[in-house]
């Protein structure tokens, strides 16, 4: 197997030396076309030159990010309007392994093989969330220091975080020259990396980035018109030995103070007081640094939680819109066919829903009665999903309280 390197052509591989093989099935029920990606990440969408290109009007130009490591392929929907379905569910972020698939628009993309460091990943299940805070000790520390004065630094706490103009990004940057989801930052045992998702206006130390590149300590990262200084710190591989909080290197002479002249005693006392005050100052400095790190970690957790809540609200809004359109269609059918729908009043100014085509696996097309039955079933399903989504959202807003 070839060893694929980062864009700057040094001898360091990406976070993983691997490749993926997919089979892409179109809406016509064809046998599928194979696609092999010879690097540990891929982009799916309508744009020319992407690793997985699908021509569907419901698919965005850059629709889904796929990230390979030894656990499988991590799927992230890039805040699209139609979404990315993982294994037929409504989940748009998560893992797939060989034999599993994602759906975008009218296309189905199945992962056939995934190889990392020459070892094929077996079918199975992976559930680690790369977007949540990680306690892995083998990950480097990664901090973005804004070059504009007065702006606080961004300290990464998760394995992966997305940067962009969208409020749903883990690091939101209000810059009109940036994409809504501009790039991803990845922390792995092999180092820190940037993956460009926008296709333009991404530079590291003046060098235009296409695809992915390693991040090094001191790099100047330019995203649109916004600049950061990159700080990469390698964490120790083994715990450091226990040290006292303050190390006093010098010691006073072991003499009897009563035998010393007064001026010497005063000098010794002044030396001891200076040493104690210096030690106290060091303690205060270390406490300040610790408080800054805690504040930054809490800020990152707050931003991650806000992104999750925004995703839940977007999902609820999408369900509400589809429910409203379904009710409009059922009300129209009730007027045309006299079929009682028995549904609640619809939302005003909602466009009628286009009835979806039957899936290729259906034995025959739906007739009018069958499609009406399907609509009623879909309404019930969406109402259940809506209740579940609200229950999940309320559960995330605060701990449940047991009744006394």
């Amino acid at each position: 197997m070839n060893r694929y390197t980062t864009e700057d052509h040094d001898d360091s591989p990406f976070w993983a030396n691997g490749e993926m093989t997919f089979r892409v099935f179109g809406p016509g029920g064809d046998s599928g076309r194979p696609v092999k990606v010879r690097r540990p990440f891929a982009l799916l969408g309508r744009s020319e030159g992407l690793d997985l290109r699908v021509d569907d009007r419901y698919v965005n130009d850059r629709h889904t990010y796929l990230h390979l490591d030894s656990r499988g392929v991590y799927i992230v929907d890039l805040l699209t309007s139609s979404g990315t379905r993982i294994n037929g569910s409504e989940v748009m972020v998560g893992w797939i392994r060989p034999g599993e698939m994602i759906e975008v628009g009218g296309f189905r993309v199945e992962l056939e093989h995934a190889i990392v460091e020459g070892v094929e990943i077996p079918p199975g299940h992976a559930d680690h969330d790369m977007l949540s805070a990680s306690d892995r000790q083998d990950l480097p520390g990664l901090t973005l220091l804004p070059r504009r004065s007065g702006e606080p630094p961004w300290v990464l706490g998760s394995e992966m975080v997305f940067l962009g103009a969208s409020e749903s990004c883990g690091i939101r940057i209000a810059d009109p020259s940036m994409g809504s989801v501009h790039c991803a930052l990845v922390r792995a045992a092999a180092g820190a990396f940037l993956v460009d998702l926008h296709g333009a206006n991404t530079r590291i130390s003046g060098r235009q980035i296409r695809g992915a590149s390693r991040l090094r300590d001191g790099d100047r990262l330019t995203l649109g018109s916004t600049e950061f200084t990159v700080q990469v710190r390698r964490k120790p591989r083994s715990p450091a030995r226990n040290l006292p909080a303050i190390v006093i290197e010098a010691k006073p002479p072991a003499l009897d103070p009563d035998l010393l002249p007064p001026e010497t005693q005063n000098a010794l006392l002044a030396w001891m007081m200076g040493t104690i005050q210096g030690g106290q100052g060091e303690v205060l400095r270390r406490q300040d640094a610790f408080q800054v790190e805690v504040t930054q970690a809490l800020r990152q957790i707050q931003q991650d939680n806000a992104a999750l809540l925004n995703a839940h609200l977007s999902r609820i809004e999408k369900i509400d819109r589809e429910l409203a359109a379904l009710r409009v269609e059922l009300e129209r059918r009730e007027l045309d066919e006299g079929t009682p729908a028995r549904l609640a009043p619809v939302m005003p100014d909602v466009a009628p829903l286009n009835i979806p085509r039957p899936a290729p696996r259906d034995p025959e097309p739906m007739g009018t009665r069958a499609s009406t039955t399907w609509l009623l079933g879909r309404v019930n399903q969406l109402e259940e999903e809506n209740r579940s989504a609200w229950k999940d959202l309320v559960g995330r807003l605060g701990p449940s309280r047991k009744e006394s």
Side-chain angles (χ1 to χ4, degrees):
M1 181 187 302
N2 296 329
R3 193 165 185 81
Y4 305 102
T5 58
T6 51
E7 185 175 284
D8 48 355
H9 302 297
D10 61 10
D11 294 329
S12 303
F14 290 125
W15 53 88
N17 175 29
E19 61 182 36
M20 303 169 280
T21 302
F22 301 91
R23 188 167 291 273
V24 182
F25 299 89
D30 55 19
S31 59
R33 57 183 172 89
V35 177
K36 177 172 284 189
V37 180
R38 299 179 181 276
R39 60 184 186 182
F41 66 95
L43 274 173
L44 181 152
R46 294 178 62 187
S47 292
E48 295 284 349
L50 295 188
D51 307 285
L52 292 162
R53 185 174 183 271
V54 292
D55 188 9
D56 189 298
R57 63 193 182 99
Y58 294 108
V59 176
N60 290 30
D61 289 343
R62 294 166 182 264
H63 196 98
T64 308
Y65 174 64
L66 302 92
H67 180 94
L68 171 68
D69 70 13
S70 59
R71 294 166 290 190
V73 178
Y74 195 66
I75 306 296
V76 181
D77 180 84
L78 298 178
L79 305 180
T80 61
S81 56
S82 60
T84 301
R85 294 166 59 89
I86 300 177
N87 291 320
S89 70
E90 295 295 329
V91 177
M92 293 188 289
V93 175
W95 294 93
I96 63 172
R97 283 195 164 190
E100 298 180 326
M101 56 91 180
I102 62 175
E103 295 173 271
V104 290
F107 284 76
R108 179 164 54 92
V109 180
E110 180 179 333
L111 176 63
E112 289 192 327
H113 303 284
I115 299 175
V116 174
E117 304 299 338
V119 178
E120 185 162 353
I121 297 176
H125 178 67
D127 57 4
H128 180 75
D129 185 4
M130 293 189 68
L131 303 182
S132 64
S134 175
D135 57 358
R136 287 179 53 184
Q137 296 300 311
D138 60 338
L139 301 181
L142 180 58
T143 303
L144 299 184
L145 305 173
R147 295 176 72 88
R148 296 195 190 112
S149 61
E151 295 188 7
W154 296 91
V155 182
L156 271 67
S158 57
E159 291 184 54
M160 180 187 298
V161 68
F162 290 84
L163 290 79
S166 172
E167 293 182 356
S168 296
C169 289
I171 299 179
R172 181 179 181 244
I173 303 172
D175 185 339
S177 61
M178 292 186 59
S180 58
V181 184
H182 197 93
C183 65
L185 298 179
V186 178
R187 292 193 305 147
F193 300 85
L194 177 142
V195 183
D196 174 62
L197 303 173
H198 187 249
N201 298 331
T202 302
R203 296 179 179 275
I204 296 178
S205 299
R207 179 171 46 85
Q208 181 71 37
I209 299 302
R210 300 287 186 185
S213 180
R214 177 183 292 273
L215 291 171
R216 294 181 173 81
D217 189 46
D219 278 345
R220 185 177 76 257
L221 174 60
T222 305
L223 306 174
S225 59
T226 303
E227 288 194 344
F228 299 91
T229 298
V230 177
Q231 189 178 80
V232 180
R233 294 287 184 265
R234 173 59 64 181
K235 293 185 178 181
R237 295 186 178 274
S238 58
R241 61 189 179 92
N242 293 326
L243 295 175
I246 304 172
V247 178
I248 300 176
E249 297 179 353
K251 295 183 179 180
L255 298 175
D256 186 352
D258 294 334
L259 300 178
L260 298 176
E263 61 271 17
T264 304
Q265 294 184 26
N266 292 336
L268 179 59
L269 181 60
W271 177 88
M272 293 176 64
M273 292 299 298
T275 300
I276 293 173
Q277 291 174 357
Q280 291 175 340
E282 178 66 19
V283 170
L284 293 176
R285 284 193 294 272
R286 296 190 182 191
Q287 288 177 345
D288 290 342
F290 175 74
Q291 290 173 356
V292 169
E293 291 181 0
V294 170
T295 301
Q296 292 170 347
L298 291 175
R299 176 179 179 178
Q300 181 64 44
I301 292 173
Q302 183 181 23
Q303 291 166 347
D304 291 343
N305 287 336
L308 286 173
L309 291 178
N310 285 333
H312 275 284
L313 290 174
S314 298
R315 178 188 173 196
I316 290 171
E317 182 182 2
K318 181 180 176 182
I319 292 174
D320 287 341
R321 289 180 178 175
E322 186 175 351
L323 274 171
L326 287 170
R327 290 189 174 107
V328 169
E329 175 64 18
L330 285 169
E331 183 174 324
R332 182 188 66 78
R333 292 188 177 210
E334 181 180 2
L335 294 175
D336 294 345
E337 304 170 7
T339 303
R342 299 179 183 177
L343 293 174
V346 300
M347 296 172 61
D349 302 327
V350 177
L353 179 73
N354 293 323
I355 302 302
R357 300 187 302 272
R361 58 180 177 271
D362 290 343
E364 59 183 11
M366 294 186 296
T368 303
R369 184 182 302 276
S371 61
T372 301
T373 302
W374 179 90
L375 283 172
L376 291 170
R378 180 61 176 163
V379 167
N380 292 333
Q381 179 187 359
L382 287 174
E383 288 177 343
E384 180 62 29
E385 291 180 6
N386 200 15
R387 286 192 293 270
S388 176
W390 274 108
K391 182 178 179 181
D392 190 17
L393 178 62
V394 172
R396 289 180 179 274
L397 289 176
S400 59
R401 297 181 178 178
K402 296 182 180 179
E403 296 181 359
S404 58

